[in-house]
Amino acid sequence: MIAVKNLYKNFGKTPVLKAVSTTVEKGEKVVIIGPSGSGKSTLLRCMNLLEDPTYGEVWVDGKLITPVDPYLHPDLIALSSTCRRLCAEGMTEEDAVARIKREDLLRKFEGAAFRKAVRSRYKENYLDINLVRRKIGMVFQHFNLFNNKTVLDNMTLAPVTLKLKTKAEAEERAYALLRRIGLEDKANVYPSTLSGGQKQRIAIVRALAMEPEYMLFDEPTSALDPEMVGEVLELMKELADTGMTMVIVTHEMGFAREVGTRVLFMADGAIAEEGTPDEIFSAPESPRLREFLSKVL
Amino acid sequence: MLEDLRTVLSSPEYMGYFWQGFGHTILISLIAVAIGLVLGFIVAIVKIAATQNKWMKIPAFLCNIYTTVVRGTPVAVQLFLMVFVIMAIPGVKPAAIILTFGINSGAYVSENIRAGILSVDKGQMEAGRSLGIPWTQTMVRIVFPQAIKNVIPAIGNEMIALLKETSIINLVGATVGQLTFDINAAASQIIPKVGYLAPTIVAACLYLIIVYAMVLIIKLVEGRLRKSDRR
Ligand SMILES: Nc1ncnc2c1ncn2[C@@H]1O[C@H](COP(=O)(O)OP(=O)(O)OP(=O)(O)O)[C@@H](O)[C@H]1O
Ligand SMILES: [Mg+2]
């Protein structure tokens, strides 16, 4: 389960994500759609911490991967000096906490008790991001195959470097995956010799070589020539059929409808509408979504 | 003129000076290049690491002072400072001189390497990190090999510049037999006896030979590295 809680992301002063919360359950295929610049990639990249959220928390399988956000923990707020001051002024603790949340009153220094509690909350729950990323595969718009490695080395580098597999095991698995996508003969070539569709399919199986539990896709077909889109979507469909948990940012509405179990429509850095593919595509509620769909369908 | 040249070329004494200088120039440059590469590599890594590790901020600040000062002052001034002030201890002059050139070169090399690392597509690092490979290992296995390929020509030029700059060693004095007695010092030794023209021409030719050899070696290394991404 990937849980995103009240996520904010600013680039400098520009807010890109505003109070985004959602939970991706095991086995779900969540499709994220929305106009360009609405924060789809940023949200996806926060899920494996390629982007550090400004506020909010991300949890993966019950483990915290971001710092603790005190605003999400009333018991922590209650320990802050600001809260104690408000209580001394005659407010009940409950009211004080609510007001601090509402008016964003926590300061940088809130006293030793608060700091200690935040730190211990973090220690109890966090897991090293490198361990978390092992089970979250990611596929990029521009493939990002390692240019200085052959296809085979691309696929074995992570499992071998991280000592999860011996070289022989990793290669065996890599060949099996390459066979599955019919690119066995490309094992020893460098990425620069491949077509876009081949690169993206190899990027997908490179992620699979880590035997991940989740897969994140950021517009995996947007950089492809039209005739190569099909082969990549086909592989993603196969992957979906195996029960993989997937989060997919895409402009391929047909694919979203067919494969998705839930669709998030993002606009202006927030989830503007959410539902099953049928609800989103057949009965869109908000005018924003209707307008968006009329442009892309 | 040809007369002078013949005199120099046929004199075992004069040519002895030149061959000694030739050897010393190569030796000094080699050690300085090695120091420069190691230093440049470390400084570049520290500066890049500081962008994502707060513990590297202070070392990176020191590194910035280093590159700014070294690249902002003439090497001749650095040489004087090192030889007559910082390391003004009898007997260590050759070490002081070599160190000066190494430290000087390190500042330029570090900027080359840093630019090379930054020129590698950010997606390469992201792909490595997304697979769970830690920053350092992604750097070493993925980013760095690609960066090096891009900066070999620039670093090669830097080495050639360093070699030619060693000709100012003579400014702080060099006597026959010392490690610091380089090609230019040999020429200066002979000039009082046969005039400027012939010794200068010989010195120029010797420098040219070394530089040309370096150019060939750099091309070779570049070709080797390029093989891995043959299109
Ligand atoms: N590294 C960055 N620095 C500054 N601004 C950024 C950065 N990355 C993204 N942005 C800005 O954040 C906003 C959202 O970007 P994001 O890439 O998440 O949008 P998107 O929904 O994925 O759009 P697209 O469909 O074009 O990929 C954009 O306005 C973008 O300009
Ligand atoms: Mg995007």
PDB file of all heavy atoms in Angstrom, chain A residues 18-42:
ATOM      1  N   LYS A  18      -1.044  20.529  -4.006  1.00  0.00           N
ATOM      2  CA  LYS A  18      -1.703  21.179  -2.876  1.00  0.00           C
ATOM      3  C   LYS A  18      -2.623  20.178  -2.180  1.00  0.00           C
ATOM      4  O   LYS A  18      -3.635  19.783  -2.729  1.00  0.00           O
ATOM      5  CB  LYS A  18      -2.515  22.379  -3.361  1.00  0.00           C
ATOM      6  CG  LYS A  18      -1.633  23.510  -3.911  1.00  0.00           C
ATOM      7  CD  LYS A  18      -2.476  24.588  -4.567  1.00  0.00           C
ATOM      8  CE  LYS A  18      -2.154  24.690  -6.039  1.00  0.00           C
ATOM      9  NZ  LYS A  18      -3.010  25.594  -6.765  1.00  0.00           N
ATOM     10  N   ALA A  19      -2.216  19.742  -1.012  1.00  0.00           N
ATOM     11  CA  ALA A  19      -3.050  18.888  -0.180  1.00  0.00           C
ATOM     12  C   ALA A  19      -3.565  17.654  -0.911  1.00  0.00           C
ATOM     13  O   ALA A  19      -4.742  17.358  -0.921  1.00  0.00           O
ATOM     14  CB  ALA A  19      -4.235  19.689   0.371  1.00  0.00           C
ATOM     15  N   VAL A  20      -2.631  16.927  -1.533  1.00  0.00           N
ATOM     16  CA  VAL A  20      -3.033  15.707  -2.231  1.00  0.00           C
ATOM     17  C   VAL A  20      -2.987  14.522  -1.273  1.00  0.00           C
ATOM     18  O   VAL A  20      -1.977  14.294  -0.606  1.00  0.00           O
ATOM     19  CB  VAL A  20      -2.099  15.430  -3.429  1.00  0.00           C
ATOM     20  CG1 VAL A  20      -2.451  14.101  -4.070  1.00  0.00           C
ATOM     21  CG2 VAL A  20      -2.192  16.557  -4.444  1.00  0.00           C
ATOM     22  N   SER A  21      -4.076  13.802  -1.175  1.00  0.00           N
ATOM     23  CA  SER A  21      -4.098  12.579  -0.386  1.00  0.00           C
ATOM     24  C   SER A  21      -4.712  11.468  -1.224  1.00  0.00           C
ATOM     25  O   SER A  21      -5.732  11.682  -1.873  1.00  0.00           O
ATOM     26  CB  SER A  21      -4.953  12.752   0.872  1.00  0.00           C
ATOM     27  OG  SER A  21      -4.396  13.736   1.697  1.00  0.00           O
ATOM     28  N   THR A  22      -4.078  10.310  -1.214  1.00  0.00           N
ATOM     29  CA  THR A  22      -4.672   9.150  -1.867  1.00  0.00           C
ATOM     30  C   THR A  22      -3.938   7.912  -1.404  1.00  0.00           C
ATOM     31  O   THR A  22      -2.800   7.995  -0.929  1.00  0.00           O
ATOM     32  CB  THR A  22      -4.622   9.260  -3.405  1.00  0.00           C
ATOM     33  OG1 THR A  22      -5.382   8.203  -3.963  1.00  0.00           O
ATOM     34  CG2 THR A  22      -3.201   9.160  -3.915  1.00  0.00           C
ATOM     35  N   THR A  23      -4.586   6.782  -1.520  1.00  0.00           N
ATOM     36  CA  THR A  23      -3.959   5.534  -1.115  1.00  0.00           C
ATOM     37  C   THR A  23      -4.049   4.532  -2.246  1.00  0.00           C
ATOM     38  O   THR A  23      -5.119   4.321  -2.811  1.00  0.00           O
ATOM     39  CB  THR A  23      -4.660   4.961   0.127  1.00  0.00           C
ATOM     40  OG1 THR A  23      -4.603   5.944   1.159  1.00  0.00           O
ATOM     41  CG2 THR A  23      -3.966   3.705   0.598  1.00  0.00           C
ATOM     42  N   VAL A  24      -2.902   3.958  -2.600  1.00  0.00           N
ATOM     43  CA  VAL A  24      -2.879   2.943  -3.645  1.00  0.00           C
ATOM     44  C   VAL A  24      -2.800   1.579  -2.966  1.00  0.00           C
ATOM     45  O   VAL A  24      -1.808   1.258  -2.321  1.00  0.00           O
ATOM     46  CB  VAL A  24      -1.670   3.132  -4.573  1.00  0.00           C
ATOM     47  CG1 VAL A  24      -1.649   2.065  -5.651  1.00  0.00           C
ATOM     48  CG2 VAL A  24      -1.674   4.523  -5.182  1.00  0.00           C
ATOM     49  N   GLU A  25      -3.866   0.801  -3.104  1.00  0.00           N
ATOM     50  CA  GLU A  25      -3.882  -0.514  -2.461  1.00  0.00           C
ATOM     51  C   GLU A  25      -3.221  -1.550  -3.357  1.00  0.00           C
ATOM     52  O   GLU A  25      -3.139  -1.375  -4.568  1.00  0.00           O
ATOM     53  CB  GLU A  25      -5.332  -0.960  -2.200  1.00  0.00           C
ATOM     54  CG  GLU A  25      -6.131  -0.028  -1.315  1.00  0.00           C
ATOM     55  CD  GLU A  25      -5.740  -0.127   0.158  1.00  0.00           C
ATOM     56  OE1 GLU A  25      -4.953  -1.031   0.509  1.00  0.00           O
ATOM     57  OE2 GLU A  25      -6.217   0.713   0.948  1.00  0.00           O
ATOM     58  N   LYS A  26      -2.761  -2.629  -2.740  1.00  0.00           N
ATOM     59  CA  LYS A  26      -2.168  -3.736  -3.486  1.00  0.00           C
ATOM     60  C   LYS A  26      -3.117  -4.206  -4.591  1.00  0.00           C
ATOM     61  O   LYS A  26      -4.311  -4.388  -4.338  1.00  0.00           O
ATOM     62  CB  LYS A  26      -1.893  -4.902  -2.531  1.00  0.00           C
ATOM     63  CG  LYS A  26      -0.530  -4.847  -1.881  1.00  0.00           C
ATOM     64  CD  LYS A  26       0.553  -5.363  -2.812  1.00  0.00           C
ATOM     65  CE  LYS A  26       1.948  -4.967  -2.394  1.00  0.00           C
ATOM     66  NZ  LYS A  26       2.419  -5.660  -1.202  1.00  0.00           N
ATOM     67  N   GLY A  27      -2.576  -4.389  -5.781  1.00  0.00           N
ATOM     68  CA  GLY A  27      -3.372  -4.926  -6.876  1.00  0.00           C
ATOM     69  C   GLY A  27      -4.111  -3.870  -7.690  1.00  0.00           C
ATOM     70  O   GLY A  27      -4.580  -4.151  -8.787  1.00  0.00           O
ATOM     71  N   GLU A  28      -4.186  -2.656  -7.173  1.00  0.00           N
ATOM     72  CA  GLU A  28      -4.873  -1.597  -7.923  1.00  0.00           C
ATOM     73  C   GLU A  28      -4.074  -1.169  -9.144  1.00  0.00           C
ATOM     74  O   GLU A  28      -2.840  -1.285  -9.175  1.00  0.00           O
ATOM     75  CB  GLU A  28      -5.054  -0.368  -7.023  1.00  0.00           C
ATOM     76  CG  GLU A  28      -6.322  -0.357  -6.226  1.00  0.00           C
ATOM     77  CD  GLU A  28      -6.580   1.036  -5.653  1.00  0.00           C
ATOM     78  OE1 GLU A  28      -5.790   1.481  -4.800  1.00  0.00           O
ATOM     79  OE2 GLU A  28      -7.554   1.664  -6.068  1.00  0.00           O
ATOM     80  N   LYS A  29      -4.785  -0.693 -10.166  1.00  0.00           N
ATOM     81  CA  LYS A  29      -4.129  -0.033 -11.293  1.00  0.00           C
ATOM     82  C   LYS A  29      -4.690   1.380 -11.333  1.00  0.00           C
ATOM     83  O   LYS A  29      -5.783   1.619 -11.857  1.00  0.00           O
ATOM     84  CB  LYS A  29      -4.437  -0.742 -12.630  1.00  0.00           C
ATOM     85  CG  LYS A  29      -3.712  -2.075 -12.790  1.00  0.00           C
ATOM     86  CD  LYS A  29      -4.566  -3.206 -12.304  1.00  0.00           C
ATOM     87  CE  LYS A  29      -3.973  -4.580 -12.438  1.00  0.00           C
ATOM     88  NZ  LYS A  29      -3.083  -5.028 -11.402  1.00  0.00           N
ATOM     89  N   VAL A  30      -3.921   2.298 -10.726  1.00  0.00           N
ATOM     90  CA  VAL A  30      -4.397   3.674 -10.634  1.00  0.00           C
ATOM     91  C   VAL A  30      -3.866   4.465 -11.820  1.00  0.00           C
ATOM     92  O   VAL A  30      -2.667   4.454 -12.081  1.00  0.00           O
ATOM     93  CB  VAL A  30      -3.928   4.324  -9.317  1.00  0.00           C
ATOM     94  CG1 VAL A  30      -4.357   5.777  -9.256  1.00  0.00           C
ATOM     95  CG2 VAL A  30      -4.477   3.542  -8.136  1.00  0.00           C
ATOM     96  N   VAL A  31      -4.768   5.094 -12.553  1.00  0.00           N
ATOM     97  CA  VAL A  31      -4.342   5.897 -13.695  1.00  0.00           C
ATOM     98  C   VAL A  31      -4.508   7.365 -13.334  1.00  0.00           C
ATOM     99  O   VAL A  31      -5.547   7.770 -12.811  1.00  0.00           O
ATOM    100  CB  VAL A  31      -5.182   5.562 -14.942  1.00  0.00           C
ATOM    101  CG1 VAL A  31      -4.732   6.424 -16.114  1.00  0.00           C
ATOM    102  CG2 VAL A  31      -5.049   4.091 -15.295  1.00  0.00           C
ATOM    103  N   ILE A  32      -3.464   8.142 -13.566  1.00  0.00           N
ATOM    104  CA  ILE A  32      -3.525   9.577 -13.282  1.00  0.00           C
ATOM    105  C   ILE A  32      -3.595  10.333 -14.603  1.00  0.00           C
ATOM    106  O   ILE A  32      -2.722  10.162 -15.462  1.00  0.00           O
ATOM    107  CB  ILE A  32      -2.306  10.046 -12.471  1.00  0.00           C
ATOM    108  CG1 ILE A  32      -2.159   9.211 -11.187  1.00  0.00           C
ATOM    109  CG2 ILE A  32      -2.419  11.524 -12.131  1.00  0.00           C
ATOM    110  CD1 ILE A  32      -0.919   9.542 -10.372  1.00  0.00           C
ATOM    111  N   ILE A  33      -4.657  11.101 -14.786  1.00  0.00           N
ATOM    112  CA  ILE A  33      -4.777  11.909 -16.001  1.00  0.00           C
ATOM    113  C   ILE A  33      -4.906  13.374 -15.590  1.00  0.00           C
ATOM    114  O   ILE A  33      -5.107  13.682 -14.417  1.00  0.00           O
ATOM    115  CB  ILE A  33      -5.997  11.486 -16.856  1.00  0.00           C
ATOM    116  CG1 ILE A  33      -7.294  11.653 -16.051  1.00  0.00           C
ATOM    117  CG2 ILE A  33      -5.852  10.051 -17.335  1.00  0.00           C
ATOM    118  CD1 ILE A  33      -8.556  11.455 -16.878  1.00  0.00           C
ATOM    119  N   GLY A  34      -4.803  14.252 -16.576  1.00  0.00           N
ATOM    120  CA  GLY A  34      -4.943  15.670 -16.270  1.00  0.00           C
ATOM    121  C   GLY A  34      -4.132  16.503 -17.233  1.00  0.00           C
ATOM    122  O   GLY A  34      -3.234  15.987 -17.897  1.00  0.00           O
ATOM    123  N   PRO A  35      -4.438  17.801 -17.310  1.00  0.00           N
ATOM    124  CA  PRO A  35      -3.729  18.657 -18.249  1.00  0.00           C
ATOM    125  C   PRO A  35      -2.245  18.800 -17.903  1.00  0.00           C
ATOM    126  O   PRO A  35      -1.844  18.514 -16.770  1.00  0.00           O
ATOM    127  CB  PRO A  35      -4.448  20.003 -18.123  1.00  0.00           C
ATOM    128  CG  PRO A  35      -5.235  19.941 -16.875  1.00  0.00           C
ATOM    129  CD  PRO A  35      -5.493  18.506 -16.578  1.00  0.00           C
ATOM    130  N   SER A  36      -1.476  19.223 -18.869  1.00  0.00           N
ATOM    131  CA  SER A  36      -0.042  19.414 -18.681  1.00  0.00           C
ATOM    132  C   SER A  36       0.210  20.440 -17.568  1.00  0.00           C
ATOM    133  O   SER A  36      -0.466  21.456 -17.495  1.00  0.00           O
ATOM    134  CB  SER A  36       0.560  19.897 -20.002  1.00  0.00           C
ATOM    135  OG  SER A  36       1.929  20.067 -19.839  1.00  0.00           O
ATOM    136  N   GLY A  37       1.160  20.133 -16.693  1.00  0.00           N
ATOM    137  CA  GLY A  37       1.500  21.061 -15.626  1.00  0.00           C
ATOM    138  C   GLY A  37       0.614  20.936 -14.404  1.00  0.00           C
ATOM    139  O   GLY A  37       0.750  21.713 -13.458  1.00  0.00           O
ATOM    140  N   SER A  38      -0.265  19.942 -14.388  1.00  0.00           N
ATOM    141  CA  SER A  38      -1.181  19.827 -13.249  1.00  0.00           C
ATOM    142  C   SER A  38      -0.539  19.105 -12.057  1.00  0.00           C
ATOM    143  O   SER A  38      -1.149  18.995 -11.003  1.00  0.00           O
ATOM    144  CB  SER A  38      -2.454  19.101 -13.679  1.00  0.00           C
ATOM    145  OG  SER A  38      -2.133  17.835 -14.217  1.00  0.00           O
ATOM    146  N   GLY A  39       0.668  18.600 -12.236  1.00  0.00           N
ATOM    147  CA  GLY A  39       1.383  17.993 -11.109  1.00  0.00           C
ATOM    148  C   GLY A  39       1.358  16.479 -11.091  1.00  0.00           C
ATOM    149  O   GLY A  39       1.707  15.867 -10.078  1.00  0.00           O
ATOM    150  N   LYS A  40       0.989  15.850 -12.210  1.00  0.00           N
ATOM    151  CA  LYS A  40       0.904  14.384 -12.259  1.00  0.00           C
ATOM    152  C   LYS A  40       2.267  13.747 -12.011  1.00  0.00           C
ATOM    153  O   LYS A  40       2.407  12.866 -11.159  1.00  0.00           O
ATOM    154  CB  LYS A  40       0.379  13.925 -13.637  1.00  0.00           C
ATOM    155  CG  LYS A  40      -0.934  14.544 -14.050  1.00  0.00           C
ATOM    156  CD  LYS A  40      -1.407  14.021 -15.389  1.00  0.00           C
ATOM    157  CE  LYS A  40      -0.491  14.392 -16.554  1.00  0.00           C
ATOM    158  NZ  LYS A  40      -0.468  15.840 -16.846  1.00  0.00           N
ATOM    159  N   SER A  41       3.263  14.195 -12.765  1.00  0.00           N
ATOM    160  CA  SER A  41       4.603  13.613 -12.601  1.00  0.00           C
ATOM    161  C   SER A  41       5.115  13.861 -11.200  1.00  0.00           C
ATOM    162  O   SER A  41       5.708  12.973 -10.583  1.00  0.00           O
ATOM    163  CB  SER A  41       5.583  14.239 -13.599  1.00  0.00           C
ATOM    164  OG  SER A  41       5.156  14.017 -14.896  1.00  0.00           O
ATOM    165  N   THR A  42       4.901  15.052 -10.700  1.00  0.00           N
ATOM    166  CA  THR A  42       5.408  15.397  -9.377  1.00  0.00           C
ATOM    167  C   THR A  42       4.805  14.468  -8.323  1.00  0.00           C
ATOM    168  O   THR A  42       5.517  13.961  -7.454  1.00  0.00           O
ATOM    169  CB  THR A  42       5.099  16.864  -9.051  1.00  0.00           C
ATOM    170  OG1 THR A  42       5.554  17.673 -10.136  1.00  0.00           O
ATOM    171  CG2 THR A  42       5.783  17.303  -7.781  1.00  0.00           C
TER     172      THR A  42
END
